[in-house]
Amino acid sequence: MPTYTAPTRDTRFIVNEMLDLASYGNLPGFENASADMIDTVINEAGKFCAEVLHPLNQVGDREGCTRNADGSVTTPTGFKKAFEQYRESGWGTIAQPEEFGGQGMPHVLGFVVEEFMAASNQAFAMYPGLTAGAISAITAKGSDEQKEMYLPKMISGEWTGTMNLTEPHCGTDLGMIRTKAEPQADGSYAITGTKIFISAGEHDMSENIIHLVLAKTPGAPDSSKGISLFIVPKFLPDADGNPGARNGVMCGSIEEKMGIHGNSTCLMNYDSATGWMVGEENKGLAAMFIMMNAARLGVGIQGLAQAEISYQNAVTYALDRRQGRALTGPADPQAQADPIFVHPDVRRMLMDAKAFTEGMRALALWGALQVDLTHKAQTEEEREEADMIISLLTPVIKGYGTDKGYDIANNMQQVYGGHGYIAEWGMEQFVRDSRIAMIYEGTNGVQAMDLCGRKLAHKGGAAIQAFFKTVDEEIASAKADETLKPIAEALDKALTDQKAATMWFMQHAMQNPNDLGAGAHHYMHIMGIVSLGLMWLRMAKVAAARLSQGTDDKAFYEAKLTTARYYADRFIPDAGALRRKIESGAASMMALEADDFATAA
């Protein structure tokens, strides 16, 4: 049976020391996040996730969700009660606006709770996770009436939300959707069509489910420019705002999936269901992207979360399992064999996991701070820069974070050897659950193309230049410190590789767009390496300062410095190889004809 302990000590280090959240106390919302409140949220969220959600993780995986004859869905044993506890504790309200019942605290703390939930029980975490994305879209684009009707109950957890994009014949190319929205005399629309892969599409944990649905109105352009967004509730609100008549939306089936069995991933049928347009006609894709960007950051956190829980269990196993002897001689001469923890190849996998999870946690929370500053920074210039940075980082956090998160889960399963392949140890579930994060909310190939095809060129390259400037300044400052200098010099080389790859795209992509497509994935990983390198340099700076001042937690800060050096030694050099892959272009990748891929004799 796997275990989970929320990484509260490391989280407090990032929030309180690296980000220094208290220094933003003059900004709206941050005044609610006192030092005591921050520690309370982190510690209590960790307890809730470890004690309430994690014990249900394997239960949800084994039982899955059940579709009943009437189209309703029953969630796994314990999920409904756990959701009641989640709602009563107010965990979903932390970063939501106070005017609609939220606590108005920084998104940084909301991201902390998201990580702990996704690590302890990813399938469960998706129910409130999709709701948070729907709240974002309604908050940004909904009418005042829609906000008043839906946000208070969605924020409280009484109602949940979904996003409905994909159809059986189209996924990423949303311009091809066929779901129709016919205008009605009362200002509503009749929504008809089929949506697939709808996470949390039907369940028994909330009294209403608010679907956000992409559809096309009559005469709309037959492309992505003809998409509108609609609110389609499971139950139509009555005059008092309570669930009334059943709407014409039904779960047709539950997808049989590789993982996240505890989440009801549904095929949804809309049969003249009543819906209301959100925002402007034919501008629905822009409205949905608000929700998708929020969801993409959440999915990046899922990559971190599955890496974290698999890492925790692999460390425990490696310290306990005895096989062979240390290469330098018996580590425990009194025993028949040494713990596998002493073997360099096992240590390699564990150190990779430690370096990634701690670095990725810092990047995700720094990204959350940019979300906050986008809305709450004092000057327009600061708000614009924060918006550019988080827009640039979103595909990296999602794409690189889930690619590496899956790699880490795989390697932590490897630490167990044959036992890792056996279900009762729980490691194979982490691998299965982590795999979806590379696919949904835009596959990682889509994330790479978003980064390279859109974000790099945005506003004439202003965002990537702002990123380069931030990293350059951090490197220059750190080189003056002998403790930090090796880490800074390694990061400087990786940043040079990223700048060169960026320039190569500028010189070649216009002439041959395939050169951009062939290198986009590699570029996303270079930027991931540099971004985590920036985080490790900042964490090392804090750790070195704490050690020089004297501290009662010397081992923690020394481990930070050692892990930062490991990251510089073992992760950062990959940037050079990725740059060379990019500069090889698309010629050999695209040269073969379709028939050349056939394997038949």
Side-chain angles (χ1 to χ4, degrees):
M1 177 72 72
T3 61
Y4 174 69
T5 301
T8 55
R9 176 66 184 91
D10 192 57
T11 302
R12 289 197 305 274
F13 166 77
I14 294 168
V15 173
N16 293 329
E17 299 182 65
M18 193 197 90
L19 297 180
D20 189 16
L21 207 63
S23 67
Y24 297 91
N26 61 319
L27 301 180
F30 284 81
E31 72 274 9
N32 298 334
S34 64
D36 288 344
M37 178 59 74
I38 290 170
D39 286 349
T40 297
V41 169
I42 292 172
N43 293 332
E44 292 303 314
K47 288 179 184 177
F48 173 77
C49 293
E51 296 173 5
V52 177
L53 300 188
H54 179 64
L56 300 176
N57 196 32
Q58 285 192 309
V59 173
D61 187 57
R62 289 194 301 266
E63 292 185 12
C65 295
T66 303
R67 181 185 180 277
N68 305 308
D70 63 355
S72 65
V73 169
T74 302
T75 51
T77 301
F79 270 47
K80 187 173 183 179
K81 182 178 180 181
F83 193 81
E84 290 174 2
Q85 293 177 259
Y86 167 86
R87 183 173 61 243
E88 291 168 359
S89 299
W91 290 118
T93 69
I94 286 177
Q96 298 298 347
E98 291 180 280
E99 63 182 305
F100 298 112
Q103 298 183 51
M105 286 196 281
H107 283 84
V108 173
L109 295 180
F111 275 37
V112 167
V113 178
E114 282 192 49
E115 184 207 330
F116 294 174
M117 288 180 64
S120 60
N121 192 326
Q122 180 172 323
F124 180 94
M126 290 170 65
Y127 292 97
L130 269 296
T131 303
I135 289 170
S136 298
I138 295 173
T139 300
K141 297 295 183 178
S143 66
D144 290 342
E145 182 182 9
Q146 289 169 343
K147 293 176 185 178
E148 292 292 339
M149 174 66 72
Y150 297 104
L151 292 183
K153 291 188 177 181
M154 295 176 74
I155 287 172
S156 71
E158 295 170 78
W159 296 359
T160 55
T162 72
M163 54 193 298
N164 286 236
L165 291 79
T166 307
E167 299 184 5
H169 65 286
C170 73
T172 302
D173 192 355
L174 291 170
M176 297 170 61
I177 65 171
R178 296 171 183 161
T179 299
K180 298 298 181 184
E182 296 286 344
Q184 305 298 295
D186 63 357
S188 67
Y189 289 78
I191 312 297
T192 301
T194 298
K195 298 289 186 177
I196 62 171
F197 304 158
I198 309 306
S199 300
E202 173 64 27
H203 57 83
D204 58 356
M205 300 195 301
S206 65
E207 62 181 25
N208 205 356
I209 302 174
I210 310 305
H211 303 289
L212 291 190
V213 184
L214 292 183
K216 291 183 177 179
T217 55
D222 190 22
S223 68
S224 61
K225 295 181 180 180
I227 297 174
S228 299
L229 180 64
F230 300 87
I231 289 175
V232 186
K234 175 181 174 180
F235 294 104
L236 298 171
D238 63 19
D240 297 320
N242 297 313
R246 185 73 159 85
N247 205 354
V249 53
M250 189 73 67
C251 169
S253 64
I254 298 176
E255 308 286 2
E256 295 290 335
K257 309 187 297 290
M258 175 180 177
I260 54 168
H261 295 151
N263 194 270
S264 54
T265 307
C266 300
L267 179 151
M268 303 297 295
N269 292 318
Y270 292 84
D271 185 9
S272 294
T274 299
W276 291 269
M277 187 178 291
V278 180
E280 299 179 52
E281 186 172 7
N282 299 334
K283 298 291 181 64
L285 196 57
M288 183 61 87
F289 263 107
I290 294 169
M291 184 174 182
M292 289 179 67
N293 283 331
R296 284 170 175 174
L297 291 170
V299 172
I301 291 172
Q302 290 176 8
L304 159 65
Q306 293 306 301
E308 172 65 34
I309 189 171
S310 59
Y311 163 67
Q312 288 187 17
N313 284 275
V315 169
T316 299
Y317 185 83
L319 290 169
D320 181 68
R321 177 71 169 175
R322 292 180 178 272
Q323 295 282 292
R325 289 296 193 187
L327 297 178
T328 53
D332 187 357
Q334 306 306 314
Q336 190 172 4
D338 291 329
I340 63 172
F341 187 77
V342 304
H343 300 308
D345 193 57
V346 172
R347 192 66 70 90
R348 169 187 63 84
M349 292 186 282
L350 296 178
M351 283 299 296
D352 278 358
K354 182 175 176 63
F356 170 76
T357 54
E358 294 179 15
M360 189 66 202
R361 180 172 299 113
L363 181 63
L365 295 179
W366 184 56
L369 179 59
Q370 306 314 302
V371 173
D372 286 313
L373 295 178
T374 295
H375 301 289
K376 299 176 180 179
Q378 287 186 314
T379 68
E380 181 63 25
E381 182 181 2
E382 290 172 313
R383 291 192 291 272
E384 286 183 1
E385 181 166 343
D387 185 56
M388 284 195 304
I389 291 294
I390 191 55
S391 296
L392 184 71
L393 284 176
T394 293
V396 178
I397 290 173
K398 195 283 185 184
Y400 182 75
T402 59
D403 275 352
K404 293 299 293 183
Y406 178 70
D407 287 346
I408 296 301
N410 260 314
N411 279 339
M412 298 305 93
Q413 182 187 33
Q414 184 75 12
V415 169
Y416 278 67
H419 291 292
Y421 205 67
I422 304 302
E424 69 179 275
W425 289 91
M427 300 304 287
E428 54 86 35
Q429 182 190 346
F430 303 147
V431 174
R432 287 186 287 106
D433 285 354
S434 66
R435 187 63 183 86
I436 184 58
M438 301 164 71
I439 298 172
Y440 58 17
E441 305 306 339
T443 65
N444 286 356
V446 170
Q447 303 305 315
M449 285 303 296
D450 177 43
L451 172 64
C452 297
R454 294 188 181 93
K455 301 299 172 59
L456 291 185
H458 184 59
K459 292 186 177 180
I464 192 64
Q465 291 304 320
F467 177 79
F468 288 157
K469 181 174 181 288
T470 297
V471 183
D472 272 326
E473 289 175 349
E474 202 79 35
I475 290 170
S477 172
K479 282 184 177 179
D481 186 317
E482 288 302 315
T483 301
L484 304 178
K485 186 177 180 180
I487 304 167
E489 289 178 340
L491 181 58
D492 199 9
K493 291 179 181 178
L495 183 64
T496 298
D497 287 323
Q498 186 184 355
K499 289 177 179 177
T502 308
M503 183 61 67
W504 193 89
F505 278 155
M506 292 174 62
Q507 294 169 343
H508 293 81
M510 291 296 291
Q511 293 86 351
N512 183 5
N514 280 340
D515 280 340
L516 182 77
H521 181 267
H522 304 313
Y523 187 92
M524 180 177 71
H525 274 243
I526 290 179
M527 188 161 177
I529 290 167
V530 171
S531 298
L532 262 67
L534 173 63
M535 296 300 104
W536 272 114
L537 189 55
R538 288 178 171 176
M539 289 190 286
K541 182 178 181 180
V542 174
R546 290 289 183 269
L547 289 168
S548 67
Q549 296 162 3
T551 173
D552 293 334
D553 204 356
K554 185 178 178 182
F556 176 86
Y557 295 108
E558 287 180 339
K560 279 291 178 192
L561 283 176
T562 299
T563 310
R565 288 193 291 269
Y566 179 87
Y567 186 88
D569 290 343
R570 292 283 179 155
F571 276 70
I572 288 180
D574 289 344
L578 291 168
R579 170 191 169 182
R580 289 190 287 276
K581 288 184 178 184
I582 290 170
E583 293 173 349
S584 72
S588 61
M589 184 181 293
M590 306 301 292
L592 296 181
E593 300 296 331
D595 289 347
D596 295 324
F597 286 86
T599 57

